[in-house]
Amino acid sequence: MDFLHLFGIYVAVVLTCIFLVCKYSGQQNNPFNTLLSYVSKVVAPFTPRWLQRFSHWIFHRLFHQRSNIFIYLHIFLEGSVYAEFTYEVFGFSREMDTSLTSLSVPYVLLAIKNFFFYLCIKTDPGTVTKKKVSSLIHVYPYDRRLFHPAVSCETCQLVKPARSKHCRVCNRCIQRFDHHCVWVNNCVGAGNTRYFLLYLLSVCAMALDIALLTGDMLLHAVLRSGLLRASYIDEYGQQQPAGPLFVVQHLFLTFPRIVFMLGFVIFVFFLLAGYTLFHSFLALVNQTSNEWYKSRGFVCRHCHPMPAADNLCSPALDHSKRYYYSRGLLRNLGEIFFPPQATQKKGN
């Protein structure tokens, strides 16, 4: 049972890390930054300068510049899962009378997922250009809390439309900026948020379906083997019934690759399911993750010691409204799937 205990510890550590990431994401002062700073100070004196420069270059290349590395990693992991599913699970499931229709669903979901994955990568997320900026300014009103009129991007030298943000990775301002996703090597903005949501939903459906089919195959293998009625001799020479732990250990030893794949798929499903629910919630209230993070620790930098009469933060506006851009459930979803078009404001 030592292997199961180690595996349980591994799962607990992974889940704890996921919880900490979700809890402290978007905060400057968090345990991750503190730990990283401490480790860097301790390790730096013993690390060669060339290795420090190389590690900094790798980190910068992966997370601060556009790169296809995570796309290739995504394809590799997905290919590995489908190779194992096709090579072993598919055959065992057919032997256990699982229908071809059921076994074909993961491949249909894969095609759908790849379609939205491609659109996420190739679709312009809503780049703010000199030609379009004058019309994009009128798409959304400024809430005068997170977004203020007459504020220019220091890099692009363009007036920033409401809900836009400059992406340091892509080096461009994005209309209705949500976040930069390394897995699609593109920003998520007004132009491709709908594809990103559908991509997340299809990945979750794909992982769930593979997990259910694999779990069903393993369940049938256990039932056919009679393990639930079996017994074994323990270390004290006593006969013990085969309980759940014994069955799980037997499956690890009999189908190691399948069980490992199942654990990975279940882990991916729960991780992405939470992320998908979060983005679905944001879509329902018409808020971006960028706006959500900003509103968590909102401090109006335009107001510090300024007098109340300053029109940058007019008291006439309803600052208590949490979801400033929400226009109702259906209209919020309509805005995601049919984003408002930039039009020149008439009568200037």
Side-chain angles (χ1 to χ4, degrees):
M1 295 300 175
D2 292 339
F3 175 78
L4 289 179
H5 292 157
L6 290 174
F7 183 76
I9 293 172
Y10 164 75
V11 171
V13 169
V14 170
L15 293 177
T16 302
C17 290
I18 293 173
F19 170 77
L20 292 175
V21 168
C22 294
K23 179 175 176 61
Y24 293 104
S25 60
Q27 299 183 16
Q28 294 295 328
N29 298 320
N30 59 65
F32 298 106
N33 287 341
T34 304
L35 179 62
L36 182 61
S37 177
Y38 175 77
V39 171
S40 299
K41 290 179 181 178
V42 172
V43 175
F46 309 100
T47 307
R49 296 296 296 272
W50 68 267
L51 183 58
Q52 293 183 36
R53 289 194 297 268
F54 179 73
S55 61
H56 291 161
W57 179 83
I58 288 292
F59 184 82
H60 179 76
R61 186 74 177 85
L62 289 177
F63 299 103
H64 296 284
Q65 289 183 346
R66 296 194 70 180
S67 171
N68 289 325
I69 293 176
F70 284 95
I71 293 179
Y72 299 143
L73 178 60
H74 178 287
I75 295 172
F76 171 76
L77 293 174
E78 188 175 78
S80 299
V81 168
Y82 269 85
E84 179 60 26
F85 179 81
T86 304
Y87 180 68
E88 289 196 288
V89 177
F90 193 96
F92 284 130
S93 297
R94 285 299 295 152
E95 291 177 7
M96 297 171 187
D97 301 325
T98 304
S99 68
L100 275 174
T101 302
S102 298
L103 292 172
S104 299
V105 172
Y107 300 99
V108 175
L109 291 173
L110 176 63
I112 296 173
K113 191 279 306 177
N114 284 338
F115 174 69
F116 292 123
F117 184 53
Y118 176 82
L119 290 176
C120 284
I121 296 172
K122 292 298 183 179
T123 303
D124 179 13
T127 305
V128 179
T129 63
K130 186 178 295 185
K131 183 178 180 180
K132 296 189 295 184
V133 66
S134 59
S135 57
L136 289 175
I137 287 175
H138 306 300
V139 173
Y140 293 108
Y142 292 95
D143 63 354
R144 299 176 185 269
R145 295 177 65 246
L146 303 177
F147 307 104
H148 298 267
V151 175
S152 297
C153 173
E154 296 179 357
T155 305
C156 298
Q157 297 298 311
L158 297 173
V159 176
K160 298 177 67 173
R163 311 190 77 181
S164 68
K165 184 179 184 297
H166 184 86
C167 175
R168 291 178 296 176
V169 179
C170 295
N171 194 30
R172 56 183 175 174
C173 284
I174 303 297
Q175 174 72 358
R176 199 185 182 279
F177 178 86
D178 192 276
H179 70 289
H180 180 89
C181 180
V182 296
W183 294 102
V184 299
N185 192 26
N186 199 4
C187 289
V188 177
N192 63 352
T193 298
R194 57 192 184 278
Y195 302 135
F196 184 72
L197 276 174
L198 294 171
Y199 160 71
L200 288 178
L201 290 170
S202 58
V203 172
C204 287
M206 191 172 67
L208 179 61
D209 191 53
I210 290 178
L212 290 175
L213 289 171
T214 305
D216 181 69
M217 185 276 291
L218 292 175
L219 177 61
H220 278 80
V222 170
L223 293 176
R224 291 192 176 191
S225 67
L227 270 177
L228 296 179
R229 299 184 300 274
S231 60
Y232 67 97
I233 305 299
D234 64 14
E235 56 206 48
Y236 303 107
Q238 301 294 321
Q239 188 174 16
Q240 301 288 346
L245 291 180
F246 181 86
V247 172
V248 172
Q249 187 176 37
H250 174 79
L251 290 175
F252 266 111
L253 297 174
T254 308
F255 308 104
R257 291 190 300 271
I258 294 178
V259 173
F260 179 80
M261 181 203 74
L262 177 61
F264 173 75
V265 169
I266 291 175
F267 168 74
V268 168
F269 169 74
F270 281 108
L271 180 64
L272 287 182
Y275 191 64
T276 303
L277 287 174
F278 171 66
H279 274 277
S280 299
F281 165 75
L282 292 179
L284 294 175
V285 298
N286 201 345
Q287 191 176 49
T288 66
S289 59
N290 175 55
E291 294 161 4
W292 185 80
Y293 284 126
K294 282 185 174 181
S295 63
R296 290 176 71 187
F298 168 72
V299 175
C300 184
R301 289 172 294 180
H302 293 267
C303 294
H304 284 312
M306 295 182 181
D310 194 324
N311 60 4
L312 283 174
C313 295
S314 170
L317 291 171
D318 183 9
H319 286 189
S320 64
K321 187 173 182 181
R322 190 171 185 179
Y323 306 112
Y324 182 85
Y325 295 101
S326 179
R327 300 184 300 161
L329 182 64
L330 294 180
R331 295 182 70 182
N332 290 343
L333 290 176
E335 187 174 305
I336 294 294
F337 290 95
F338 306 98
Q341 300 299 314
T343 56
Q344 293 287 350
K345 188 175 181 180
K346 298 179 181 180
N348 279 343

